Amino acid sequence: MPHTVRDRIQRWVLLPTPPEKVWAEIGGFGAIADWHPGVTSAEVVEIEGEVHRHLRAPDGGLTLERLIETGRLHYTYEIVESHLPLAEHRATLSCVAEGGGCHVFWSAMFEPTDESADDIVSAFYEDGLRALRERYGG
């Protein structure tokens, strides 16, 4: 059985805002279009009894993601269809209390299908977390 290469990307930002307040604004599966500059629209739909979201990028690129699990301050999802150079992508977005504020963590594991995959995923996460830092300070 051949060994599959899986990459892991992990990024985070420390915000001076309580996690419940941040999560109330970013924790909805379709809320990403409200705060991430790389997502122009997010439509939450049910497909075969499971929650999915259609994301549109500023360049018109489409991504279909499936919600796998949700918790009080996190959710995990996987990419079902995308133009991105990766496969078997699974990610988690979460808020964790830190002092009077919180850390927002975003991590993913995936199989790159092109050497650009790590840079693309990293830039997407960093752009989103930078937008949160601008919104909440930190």
Side-chain angles (χ1 to χ4, degrees), residues 77-97:
Y77 64 97
E78 67 182 359
I79 292 177
V80 178
E81 294 175 14
S82 175
H83 62 287
L84 299 174
L86 49 81
E88 302 297 320
H89 176 280
R90 182 174 283 217
T92 299
L93 180 67
S94 63
C95 265
V96 177

Side-chain angles (χ1 to χ4, degrees), residues 3-117:
H3 174 69
T4 302
V5 175
R6 306 254 316 153
D7 287 5
R8 181 177 177 92
I9 300 293
Q10 196 169 271
R11 297 291 185 270
W12 60 89
V13 64
L14 178 61
L15 303 174
T17 309
E20 293 78 11
K21 179 173 177 15
V22 173
W23 197 249
E25 295 182 22
I26 73 168
F29 197 48
I32 190 168
D34 298 334
W35 59 269
H36 197 297
V39 179
T40 57
S41 69
E43 179 188 6
V44 176
V45 296
E46 188 175 301
I47 300 173
E48 297 179 1
E50 295 181 310
V51 176
H52 289 70
R53 67 182 175 191
H54 291 279
L55 303 181
R56 183 174 299 278
D59 66 2
L62 292 173
T63 300
L64 177 64
E65 298 175 337
R66 181 176 72 88
L67 183 63
I68 296 171
E69 190 239 337
T70 60
R72 192 171 75 81
L73 296 172
H74 77 275
Y75 64 74
T76 300
Y77 64 97
E78 67 182 359
I79 292 177
V80 178
E81 294 175 14
S82 175
H83 62 287
L84 299 174
L86 49 81
E88 302 297 320
H89 176 280
R90 182 174 283 217
T92 299
L93 180 67
S94 63
C95 265
V96 177
E98 178 67 37
C102 68
H103 273 106
V104 175
F105 289 97
W106 207 347
S107 63
M109 292 193 67
F110 57 89
E111 293 176 26
T113 57
D114 181 88
E115 62 186 28
S116 67

Side-chain angles (χ1 to χ4, degrees), residues 116-138:
S116 67
D118 284 13
D119 290 341
I120 291 169
V121 173
S122 294
F124 185 77
Y125 288 6
E126 289 163 9
D127 288 348
L129 295 174
R130 187 176 310 109
L132 292 179
R133 184 182 300 115
E134 290 169 3
R135 173 180 261 189
Y136 296 105

